[in-house]
Amino acid sequence: MNELLLVVIVQVCLESLPISSSGHMMLASMLCEKLNNFSYALPEHFDHFLHGPTLVVLLTFFFSSWWPVVKRCAGALAAAVRGCKLSDSQQRGVRLAMHVISWAFVADVVSVGVYSIGKLLFKFGLPAVALAKEGIMPNSEILLIGFCVTMLLFAALWVHEKYNDNNKNFLGFINSALILGFVQGLALVPGISRFAINFVTARLLGYPPRRAFQASFVIFIPLVIAGFLVNGVGELIKHPEWFEIFTPALIVTMLLSTIVAYALFVLAHRIVLARKMSMFGLYMIVPIGLLVWLMVG
């Protein structure tokens, strides 16, 4: 159970940082097996359920951004039902909501497509089949590549912010959604941070830091909601035996981890505004070093 609590802490807390929580969860599992000779099996889709705390963090942090729009849209709907004319504020709210929803929809459709194709390649790809026949697990190698890609993303961000920070979005509405949706789908690879690849890509596209931060999660929140409700809550309801793992210790750990995750998310936002996100590239040396030690040890 202690190992399970560790995994919950790692997944929930590090989801707020651009360092790949799923990659760190895999690394934590490998460390537990290496140091304690203990291998645990989480219920299928439990990682999706752990997106619930992430959803709470995101909706709380961005509350001042989405709640006024929701109120304006609700007011516009009520006015339309009564046959009244919409106010200018309500019209702006509806236009903004439609703009954001359509942009996120395009990006997420692309992400799901890339993700689905990637899963098929991982499942049926010839290299994976060959490694499986030889009894070699490719998880460590793939994770190492993913961590290295995340570190290189921050190196690219550092170069961009130092030498080419024009803050001009040179791509159109649909093009930026297509590109961000595509790179978000690449986060399928363990070790590649979805937060990092979205944010760095948005910055390279010319988005200012604050807008790049917001865009990174505008296209992520719908996927979090869908994953949590369908693959998380939905699957747990289908398999009531999985509820046995929800001990008081686990519930308290999830609550405390959510609070810590929110604090880390606020910290990440401040680092974004200070244009210091590239510092996470230095941190990536730590998981890369640990993973190399596990692979050669």
Side-chain angles (χ1 to χ4, degrees):
M1 177 56 70
N2 291 333
E3 288 79 7
L4 175 59
L5 298 181
L6 173 62
V7 169
V8 170
I9 293 171
V10 171
Q11 171 66 26
V12 175
C13 292
L14 298 191
E15 187 72 28
S16 297
L17 298 176
I19 55 177
S20 180
S21 60
S22 59
H24 278 72
M25 190 164 67
M26 290 178 61
L27 181 60
S29 176
M30 294 176 185
L31 286 171
C32 287
E33 188 170 1
K34 173 75 173 182
L35 300 178
N36 297 333
N37 195 27
F38 178 83
S39 179
Y40 53 86
L42 292 177
E44 189 179 2
H45 302 293
F46 184 70
D47 56 332
H48 290 283
F49 183 83
L50 291 179
H51 284 154
T54 300
L55 183 60
V56 171
V57 170
L58 295 178
L59 293 180
T60 302
F61 183 85
F62 291 110
F63 181 81
S64 61
S65 297
W66 62 265
W67 180 244
V69 178
V70 170
K71 287 199 301 183
R72 290 178 183 178
C73 290
L77 178 61
V81 171
R82 295 194 305 267
C84 301
K85 183 179 179 180
L86 303 186
S87 66
D88 292 339
S89 176
Q90 291 171 341
Q91 292 180 21
R92 288 194 301 270
V94 171
R95 285 196 298 268
L96 177 59
M98 294 304 298
H99 178 87
V100 172
I101 291 173
S102 58
W103 185 82
F105 176 79
V106 171
D108 286 338
V109 167
V110 174
S111 292
V112 171
V114 173
Y115 179 84
S116 300
I117 294 173
K119 285 192 69 173
L120 290 176
L121 291 177
F122 274 111
K123 184 176 182 179
F124 300 108
L126 293 179
V129 173
L131 288 171
K133 289 182 178 179
E134 296 175 11
I136 302 174
M137 295 300 294
N139 290 344
S140 299
E141 290 81 355
I142 294 175
L143 184 58
L144 180 60
I145 293 172
F147 279 150
C148 289
V149 168
T150 296
M151 185 170 66
L152 291 175
L153 284 169
F154 289 115
L157 177 64
W158 179 83
V159 172
H160 172 76
E161 292 186 337
K162 189 174 182 63
Y163 299 107
N164 191 35
D165 191 10
N166 52 24
N167 282 340
K168 293 181 180 179
N169 186 2
F170 55 86
L171 288 178
F173 170 79
I174 295 298
N175 287 339
S176 63
L178 292 174
I179 293 174
L180 285 172
F182 177 80
V183 299
Q184 179 172 251
L186 296 180
L188 161 74
V189 178
I192 296 182
S193 167
R194 184 217 52 79
F195 181 0
I197 199 170
N198 278 354
F199 178 82
V200 174
T201 301
R203 291 290 289 126
L204 295 178
L205 292 177
Y207 283 54
R210 186 188 299 273
R211 188 180 175 198
F213 184 83
Q214 294 171 339
S216 299
F217 292 97
V218 165
I219 63 176
F220 180 52
I221 290 177
L223 299 182
V224 173
I225 295 175
F228 173 66
L229 294 179
V230 178
N231 294 327
V233 176
E235 290 297 322
L236 285 175
I237 292 175
K238 293 178 182 178
H239 302 277
E241 66 274 11
W242 291 352
F243 282 94
E244 295 178 2
I245 67 173
F246 287 92
T247 62
L250 180 64
I251 294 174
V252 171
T253 300
M254 291 181 65
L255 291 175
L256 294 178
S257 297
T258 302
I259 296 173
V260 173
Y262 183 84
L264 291 174
F265 196 65
V266 172
L267 175 62
H269 184 249
R270 292 180 179 177
I271 292 174
V272 164
L273 298 184
R275 299 173 183 248
K276 300 293 185 181
M277 279 285 281
S278 55
M279 64 185 290
F280 284 107
L282 296 176
Y283 164 79
M284 292 306 300
I285 297 174
V286 175
I288 290 174
L290 286 173
L291 187 56
V292 171
W293 173 69
L294 287 172
M295 293 172 65
V296 301

